[in-house]
Amino acid sequence: MTQRTTTEQRETFERLVREAEELVATRPQVYRLRVALLGVLGYVVLFAILFVLVGLVAGSIWGALSSTVVLFLLLKQKLIIVLGVLVWAILKSLWVKIDPPTGFRLERERFPRLYEEVDALRNRLEAIKIHEIILTEDFNAGITQTPRLGVFGWYRNTLIVGLQLLLALSPEQARAVLAHEFGHLSGNHSRLNGWIYRARTSWYRVMYAFDQSGGWGTGVLRRFFDWYAPYFSAYSFALARANEYEADAVSVELTSKHTAAEALLTTAVHSDAINERYWQPLIARADQEPTPVATPFEGLAKHFRDSPLTAEETGARVARVNRIETNHDDTHPAIKDRLAAIHVQPTAPGAVTTSAASAWLGDACQDVLQEFDRLWLERNAEAWKERYQETAALQEQLAELEGKPRADLSQEQCWNLASLSERFRRDTDPLPLYEAYGHDYPDDLDTHYVIGRLKLARDDATGLEHLEAASTRFFLTLPACEVAYAYFKRKGDEAGAKRWRERGEAQLDRQARAEAERGGVGRTDRLIAPRIGADVLAHLREQLQSVAGIKHAWICEKIVEFVPEQPVYVMAVQGSGFFPKEASLIQAVIDQVSFPGETFLLMKGGSAEAVAKQVIEVGVPVL
């Protein structure tokens, strides 16, 4: 069966969504029934597997107890072993592990004000019980349900709240956000919508767990859920989007139209601005300061207290958000449609005087900020120092290059002059340097990509010609498509955006095939004598002679369809002694030998004996 392309998968998804939307508009009850039945299908399959498992075990026990013939067959023909292996494989496939979310755990005793807010919202909505609340660094909030019994549920419910979100919003706005999240799982609103909301996430997590588990016991279930989860997600998309509007209505019900709108707009405005105005400048300080910032989250709290955006900037960002259209990439409708649904006009939200973080975390807020600062430093201190040292070396290199006549620079030095100028000389236009490099070295396609990127950022359509040239190189195709797609979307040219999107999707398929063909070597692969020089073979021989336990070695080349200029080699080694250990021998070669390219290692007489024989037949001896 031919695997569908990325474009075909997307188009199938969009077609199912459109069909569902049409059915919602014309026959909503029929649609809801179909979605409900489709949602139940996953459980039917799981319990059918479980029923078969129980039937096999119970039938075997009953047969063994009631008939000596059955008992004899089970033991004599070793069917008991086969049955045991089958039972174990099925049980293992059903008992998939889904990891719970992680973060800073907020205890009820230490943060009573936050729990009062959560309890009040939950009780008013008759929503699910929250077992724990964790705080993360994210600018987001949500409720995650982690099944204790794998695919069979028994959920542990975790409310995840982002510290950055609490610092940006007022208590009233944050209450509207939490009310929206609880609205998804409310008991006194649409139970079907809430159940579908949970099921969409659950089935994708089950699919991912089966995909990660591997093994023949999960084969049937893996194939089923690889089809079922995306299909269910697409067909239930319309209901999930309706659930977003319903959750917004819950937010309005528990706060007000004005507060819910402010929460939506403040979140939309600051989710981008926080990176542009705070985190990116903070990280950029590593270029000049050897010691990392010690209090990034305390600084962030001050950043919001100081009202980082002027009224004019806020208004401009609101206008930008209001131009975004609802699409099929996300179940969340566009902000302007969500505001229209609650009958509110988009207006710039005012400054926040008291944050939800300070109000809800209370006296412990400062301790929380200090703990997040400590954890941030643990993760980033070393990277900060490395960036500072690297930047100092690069700036020294740039100064040296700028002091030389261009005619005296090598190709690599000319490229470094352009790329380092773009990074460090913010007051200098790097485009002329790249264009000069492209003139001198027209075969370097990296230059076309950079020139295309810079020109399109300035709305210069001639940049597309450069991206066309760059896209002829395999590893530049996808970045070129992404830049061109973003340009056409920004210009409102949907036809142009569609063309580049489909080209990018086709490249994703090619990259997946390239990764697959470079991911292993098998009996059906075509192997030839390696196209490498005698000096390379001599260097390999010299290295292999220093590896203890190797008697002989052969190397060949695997024919690849994609990126043939980067060859793939296969080496077979023969160990000395009577019973060489395959894993330890191959690991020793990996640790001590530098290969001329991607290389697979096999052992003669090992687990891939058939392929090793092919390598010996067509390859050349190295040792």
Side-chain angles (χ1 to χ4, degrees), residues 539-556:
H539 183 55
L540 281 174
R541 183 178 300 110
E542 181 182 350
Q543 295 179 84
L544 287 167
Q545 286 172 343
S546 65
V547 180
I550 292 184
K551 185 177 181 180
H552 297 295
W554 302 262
I555 190 169
C556 69

Side-chain angles (χ1 to χ4, degrees), residues 474 477 503-515 562:
F474 189 82
T477 304
R503 288 178 64 175
E505 290 170 339
Q507 178 62 17
L508 283 174
D509 296 331
R510 286 191 290 269
Q511 289 183 184
R513 289 163 58 195
E515 184 178 347
F562 299 97

Side-chain angles (χ1 to χ4, degrees), residues 64-79:
L65 293 176
S66 62
S67 171
T68 55
V69 174
V70 174
L71 179 60
F72 176 79
L73 288 174
L74 287 173
L75 296 176
K76 180 67 175 177
Q77 302 298 323
K78 298 182 180 179
L79 295 179

Side-chain angles (χ1 to χ4, degrees), residues 422-600:
E422 181 182 7
R423 177 173 174 180
F424 297 116
R425 301 294 185 252
R426 302 296 173 83
D427 56 345
T428 301
D429 184 3
L431 182 58
L433 289 172
Y434 283 116
E435 289 178 326
Y437 176 90
H439 178 269
D440 294 339
Y441 307 101
D443 293 334
D444 190 340
L445 297 180
D446 288 298
T447 320
H448 284 289
Y449 169 72
V450 176
I451 292 175
R453 169 174 59 80
L454 292 174
K455 285 193 169 186
L456 291 189
R458 307 170 191 198
D459 287 337
D460 182 348
T462 61
L464 292 169
E465 301 171 10
H466 293 277
L467 292 184
E468 287 283 1
S471 64
T472 60
R473 180 180 170 189
F474 189 82
F475 293 110
L476 287 177
T477 304
L478 188 59
C481 290
E482 291 171 344
V483 172
Y485 173 78
Y487 166 76
F488 280 110
K489 289 293 288 186
R490 188 172 69 250
K491 302 295 287 184
D493 186 341
E494 292 300 324
K498 182 176 183 291
R499 287 195 306 272
W500 283 91
R501 178 176 187 169
E502 290 178 353
R503 288 178 64 175
E505 290 170 339
Q507 178 62 17
L508 283 174
D509 296 331
R510 286 191 290 269
Q511 289 183 184
R513 289 163 58 195
E515 184 178 347
E517 76 171 353
R518 291 172 177 270
V521 59
R523 300 178 64 176
T524 59
D525 289 322
R526 184 184 170 197
L527 305 178
I528 62 172
R531 292 168 287 189
I532 52 180
D535 55 335
V536 176
L537 286 174
H539 183 55
L540 281 174
R541 183 178 300 110
E542 181 182 350
Q543 295 179 84
L544 287 167
Q545 286 172 343
S546 65
V547 180
I550 292 184
K551 185 177 181 180
H552 297 295
W554 302 262
I555 190 169
C556 69
E557 184 177 334
K558 173 183 173 179
I559 296 297
V560 293
E561 176 185 358
F562 299 97
V563 202
E565 64 272 18
Q566 296 182 12
V568 176
Y569 302 103
V570 187
M571 176 177 283
V573 296
Q574 181 181 1
S576 58
F578 291 106
F579 301 105
K581 294 183 178 179
E582 182 177 11
S584 57
L585 183 64
I586 289 178
Q587 188 60 51
V589 176
I590 292 173
D591 293 339
Q592 300 179 52
V593 178
S594 175
F595 293 97
E598 296 179 66
T599 305
F600 292 100

Side-chain angles (χ1 to χ4, degrees), residues 245 248-249 252 256-258 260-261 264 337-344:
Y245 285 117
D248 283 343
V252 169
S256 69
K257 290 196 299 185
H258 175 73
L264 285 172
D337 292 333
R338 296 174 70 176
L339 294 177
I342 60 176
H343 309 293
V344 176

Side-chain angles (χ1 to χ4, degrees), residues 297-344:
F297 282 92
E298 286 190 49
L300 181 62
K302 182 178 184 302
H303 174 79
F304 281 119
R305 287 197 299 271
D306 292 343
S307 301
L309 298 177
T310 64
E312 183 180 356
E313 291 172 321
T314 302
R317 288 178 179 272
V318 168
R320 187 190 312 167
V321 167
N322 199 48
R323 288 195 294 269
I324 298 174
E325 300 288 340
T326 298
N327 55 47
H328 291 151
D329 293 335
D330 188 356
T331 56
H332 287 85
I335 293 295
K336 68 176 183 179
D337 292 333
R338 296 174 70 176
L339 294 177
I342 60 176
H343 309 293
V344 176

